Amino acid sequence: MMHPVQTSIPQVDGSDRYVVIEPVLERDGDNGLRSTGVFKIYKDAFGDEPHLFTEPAESDGPADELPDEDKPDYPGKFLFENGRVQHFEGQVLSVAEQAYLAVFIETYQEPDI
């Protein structure tokens, strides 16, 4: 996954929890960007299929802003290695929600544009 993706997590009561999955990318020499295996999860209160992301997100270093862990819309992040989930850091998502998102990330295919 090279671009942020919006998805929903089915809930027991039949509703959906909307989230945005943002891959953390890094420079890969002259080859462009590559995934670090870290995927940050953010709450998406609207579920409105936004089209805000046209380029992969990349950071040149830490920004002078509130850390993700202190943001109310940040449930946590997944750490993957060799395409398989290693663990989830966060406390907001249930184990079932974590499993659902882990499978989503593992099986996600970038759309052909």
Side-chain angles (χ1 to χ4, degrees), residues 4-20:
V5 174
Q6 181 184 44
T7 190
S8 60
I9 307 167
Q11 301 295 295
V12 175
D13 66 3
S15 65
D16 289 315
R17 174 181 276 189
Y18 293 96
V19 296
V20 174

PDB file of all heavy atoms in Angstrom, residues 4-20:
ATOM      1  N   PRO A   4      -2.760   6.415   1.227  1.00  0.00           N
ATOM      2  CA  PRO A   4      -3.772   6.232   2.271  1.00  0.00           C
ATOM      3  C   PRO A   4      -5.054   5.667   1.680  1.00  0.00           C
ATOM      4  O   PRO A   4      -5.410   5.966   0.534  1.00  0.00           O
ATOM      5  CB  PRO A   4      -3.987   7.649   2.807  1.00  0.00           C
ATOM      6  CG  PRO A   4      -2.704   8.339   2.517  1.00  0.00           C
ATOM      7  CD  PRO A   4      -2.255   7.791   1.185  1.00  0.00           C
ATOM      8  N   VAL A   5      -5.709   4.820   2.449  1.00  0.00           N
ATOM      9  CA  VAL A   5      -6.933   4.145   2.000  1.00  0.00           C
ATOM     10  C   VAL A   5      -8.006   4.303   3.068  1.00  0.00           C
ATOM     11  O   VAL A   5      -7.737   4.150   4.258  1.00  0.00           O
ATOM     12  CB  VAL A   5      -6.661   2.641   1.763  1.00  0.00           C
ATOM     13  CG1 VAL A   5      -7.936   1.891   1.450  1.00  0.00           C
ATOM     14  CG2 VAL A   5      -5.642   2.441   0.671  1.00  0.00           C
ATOM     15  N   GLN A   6      -9.216   4.579   2.637  1.00  0.00           N
ATOM     16  CA  GLN A   6     -10.359   4.640   3.539  1.00  0.00           C
ATOM     17  C   GLN A   6     -11.078   3.302   3.477  1.00  0.00           C
ATOM     18  O   GLN A   6     -11.271   2.735   2.397  1.00  0.00           O
ATOM     19  CB  GLN A   6     -11.297   5.760   3.118  1.00  0.00           C
ATOM     20  CG  GLN A   6     -12.494   5.904   4.034  1.00  0.00           C
ATOM     21  CD  GLN A   6     -13.459   6.954   3.523  1.00  0.00           C
ATOM     22  OE1 GLN A   6     -13.754   6.990   2.346  1.00  0.00           O
ATOM     23  NE2 GLN A   6     -13.939   7.785   4.414  1.00  0.00           N
ATOM     24  N   THR A   7     -11.478   2.792   4.634  1.00  0.00           N
ATOM     25  CA  THR A   7     -12.259   1.565   4.684  1.00  0.00           C
ATOM     26  C   THR A   7     -13.158   1.614   5.913  1.00  0.00           C
ATOM     27  O   THR A   7     -13.120   2.560   6.684  1.00  0.00           O
ATOM     28  CB  THR A   7     -11.363   0.310   4.704  1.00  0.00           C
ATOM     29  OG1 THR A   7     -12.171  -0.856   4.509  1.00  0.00           O
ATOM     30  CG2 THR A   7     -10.584   0.179   6.007  1.00  0.00           C
ATOM     31  N   SER A   8     -13.972   0.609   6.061  1.00  0.00           N
ATOM     32  CA  SER A   8     -14.831   0.534   7.244  1.00  0.00           C
ATOM     33  C   SER A   8     -14.679  -0.833   7.882  1.00  0.00           C
ATOM     34  O   SER A   8     -14.398  -1.826   7.210  1.00  0.00           O
ATOM     35  CB  SER A   8     -16.289   0.800   6.874  1.00  0.00           C
ATOM     36  OG  SER A   8     -16.743  -0.156   5.945  1.00  0.00           O
ATOM     37  N   ILE A   9     -14.887  -0.854   9.180  1.00  0.00           N
ATOM     38  CA  ILE A   9     -14.819  -2.091   9.966  1.00  0.00           C
ATOM     39  C   ILE A   9     -16.239  -2.420  10.399  1.00  0.00           C
ATOM     40  O   ILE A   9     -16.861  -1.640  11.124  1.00  0.00           O
ATOM     41  CB  ILE A   9     -13.932  -1.917  11.215  1.00  0.00           C
ATOM     42  CG1 ILE A   9     -12.553  -1.366  10.835  1.00  0.00           C
ATOM     43  CG2 ILE A   9     -13.818  -3.227  11.969  1.00  0.00           C
ATOM     44  CD1 ILE A   9     -11.753  -0.883  12.031  1.00  0.00           C
ATOM     45  N   PRO A  10     -16.781  -3.571   9.971  1.00  0.00           N
ATOM     46  CA  PRO A  10     -18.134  -3.942  10.400  1.00  0.00           C
ATOM     47  C   PRO A  10     -18.198  -4.123  11.919  1.00  0.00           C
ATOM     48  O   PRO A  10     -17.297  -4.701  12.522  1.00  0.00           O
ATOM     49  CB  PRO A  10     -18.392  -5.270   9.698  1.00  0.00           C
ATOM     50  CG  PRO A  10     -17.342  -5.383   8.646  1.00  0.00           C
ATOM     51  CD  PRO A  10     -16.180  -4.559   9.092  1.00  0.00           C
ATOM     52  N   GLN A  11     -19.261  -3.616  12.513  1.00  0.00           N
ATOM     53  CA  GLN A  11     -19.463  -3.721  13.956  1.00  0.00           C
ATOM     54  C   GLN A  11     -20.543  -4.767  14.254  1.00  0.00           C
ATOM     55  O   GLN A  11     -21.358  -5.101  13.397  1.00  0.00           O
ATOM     56  CB  GLN A  11     -19.876  -2.364  14.526  1.00  0.00           C
ATOM     57  CG  GLN A  11     -18.853  -1.263  14.266  1.00  0.00           C
ATOM     58  CD  GLN A  11     -17.539  -1.507  14.974  1.00  0.00           C
ATOM     59  OE1 GLN A  11     -17.477  -1.505  16.194  1.00  0.00           O
ATOM     60  NE2 GLN A  11     -16.485  -1.732  14.210  1.00  0.00           N
ATOM     61  N   VAL A  12     -20.566  -5.274  15.452  1.00  0.00           N
ATOM     62  CA  VAL A  12     -21.522  -6.294  15.876  1.00  0.00           C
ATOM     63  C   VAL A  12     -22.971  -5.824  15.711  1.00  0.00           C
ATOM     64  O   VAL A  12     -23.844  -6.601  15.340  1.00  0.00           O
ATOM     65  CB  VAL A  12     -21.253  -6.713  17.345  1.00  0.00           C
ATOM     66  CG1 VAL A  12     -22.298  -7.680  17.838  1.00  0.00           C
ATOM     67  CG2 VAL A  12     -19.863  -7.310  17.486  1.00  0.00           C
ATOM     68  N   ASP A  13     -23.203  -4.542  15.934  1.00  0.00           N
ATOM     69  CA  ASP A  13     -24.572  -4.014  15.850  1.00  0.00           C
ATOM     70  C   ASP A  13     -25.023  -3.709  14.415  1.00  0.00           C
ATOM     71  O   ASP A  13     -26.097  -3.179  14.192  1.00  0.00           O
ATOM     72  CB  ASP A  13     -24.729  -2.766  16.714  1.00  0.00           C
ATOM     73  CG  ASP A  13     -23.895  -1.588  16.226  1.00  0.00           C
ATOM     74  OD1 ASP A  13     -23.215  -1.695  15.169  1.00  0.00           O
ATOM     75  OD2 ASP A  13     -23.923  -0.547  16.907  1.00  0.00           O
ATOM     76  N   GLY A  14     -24.182  -4.043  13.423  1.00  0.00           N
ATOM     77  CA  GLY A  14     -24.533  -3.812  12.027  1.00  0.00           C
ATOM     78  C   GLY A  14     -24.033  -2.489  11.474  1.00  0.00           C
ATOM     79  O   GLY A  14     -24.136  -2.251  10.269  1.00  0.00           O
ATOM     80  N   SER A  15     -23.517  -1.620  12.318  1.00  0.00           N
ATOM     81  CA  SER A  15     -22.976  -0.347  11.853  1.00  0.00           C
ATOM     82  C   SER A  15     -21.543  -0.555  11.356  1.00  0.00           C
ATOM     83  O   SER A  15     -21.007  -1.665  11.408  1.00  0.00           O
ATOM     84  CB  SER A  15     -23.012   0.690  12.971  1.00  0.00           C
ATOM     85  OG  SER A  15     -22.143   0.300  14.025  1.00  0.00           O
ATOM     86  N   ASP A  16     -20.932   0.507  10.888  1.00  0.00           N
ATOM     87  CA  ASP A  16     -19.546   0.470  10.435  1.00  0.00           C
ATOM     88  C   ASP A  16     -18.729   1.508  11.178  1.00  0.00           C
ATOM     89  O   ASP A  16     -19.221   2.590  11.493  1.00  0.00           O
ATOM     90  CB  ASP A  16     -19.450   0.772   8.932  1.00  0.00           C
ATOM     91  CG  ASP A  16     -19.988  -0.359   8.076  1.00  0.00           C
ATOM     92  OD1 ASP A  16     -19.664  -1.518   8.355  1.00  0.00           O
ATOM     93  OD2 ASP A  16     -20.734  -0.064   7.119  1.00  0.00           O
ATOM     94  N   ARG A  17     -17.472   1.189  11.454  1.00  0.00           N
ATOM     95  CA  ARG A  17     -16.506   2.155  11.991  1.00  0.00           C
ATOM     96  C   ARG A  17     -15.594   2.517  10.826  1.00  0.00           C
ATOM     97  O   ARG A  17     -14.902   1.660  10.293  1.00  0.00           O
ATOM     98  CB  ARG A  17     -15.698   1.563  13.133  1.00  0.00           C
ATOM     99  CG  ARG A  17     -14.584   2.506  13.607  1.00  0.00           C
ATOM    100  CD  ARG A  17     -13.771   1.913  14.709  1.00  0.00           C
ATOM    101  NE  ARG A  17     -14.482   2.184  15.961  1.00  0.00           N
ATOM    102  CZ  ARG A  17     -13.968   1.959  17.153  1.00  0.00           C
ATOM    103  NH1 ARG A  17     -12.769   1.428  17.279  1.00  0.00           N
ATOM    104  NH2 ARG A  17     -14.664   2.227  18.241  1.00  0.00           N
ATOM    105  N   TYR A  18     -15.618   3.781  10.428  1.00  0.00           N
ATOM    106  CA  TYR A  18     -14.819   4.231   9.299  1.00  0.00           C
ATOM    107  C   TYR A  18     -13.428   4.633   9.762  1.00  0.00           C
ATOM    108  O   TYR A  18     -13.282   5.314  10.772  1.00  0.00           O
ATOM    109  CB  TYR A  18     -15.506   5.409   8.597  1.00  0.00           C
ATOM    110  CG  TYR A  18     -16.787   5.008   7.933  1.00  0.00           C
ATOM    111  CD1 TYR A  18     -18.006   5.187   8.575  1.00  0.00           C
ATOM    112  CD2 TYR A  18     -16.785   4.428   6.674  1.00  0.00           C
ATOM    113  CE1 TYR A  18     -19.194   4.803   7.974  1.00  0.00           C
ATOM    114  CE2 TYR A  18     -17.962   4.045   6.058  1.00  0.00           C
ATOM    115  CZ  TYR A  18     -19.166   4.234   6.715  1.00  0.00           C
ATOM    116  OH  TYR A  18     -20.336   3.850   6.122  1.00  0.00           O
ATOM    117  N   VAL A  19     -12.425   4.204   9.006  1.00  0.00           N
ATOM    118  CA  VAL A  19     -11.039   4.524   9.316  1.00  0.00           C
ATOM    119  C   VAL A  19     -10.278   4.844   8.038  1.00  0.00           C
ATOM    120  O   VAL A  19     -10.692   4.460   6.940  1.00  0.00           O
ATOM    121  CB  VAL A  19     -10.317   3.373  10.056  1.00  0.00           C
ATOM    122  CG1 VAL A  19     -10.936   3.107  11.420  1.00  0.00           C
ATOM    123  CG2 VAL A  19     -10.277   2.120   9.223  1.00  0.00           C
ATOM    124  N   VAL A  20      -9.161   5.532   8.212  1.00  0.00           N
ATOM    125  CA  VAL A  20      -8.207   5.765   7.139  1.00  0.00           C
ATOM    126  C   VAL A  20      -6.922   5.061   7.542  1.00  0.00           C
ATOM    127  O   VAL A  20      -6.449   5.204   8.672  1.00  0.00           O
ATOM    128  CB  VAL A  20      -7.953   7.277   6.931  1.00  0.00           C
ATOM    129  CG1 VAL A  20      -6.850   7.507   5.917  1.00  0.00           C
ATOM    130  CG2 VAL A  20      -9.232   7.970   6.504  1.00  0.00           C
TER     131      VAL A  20
END
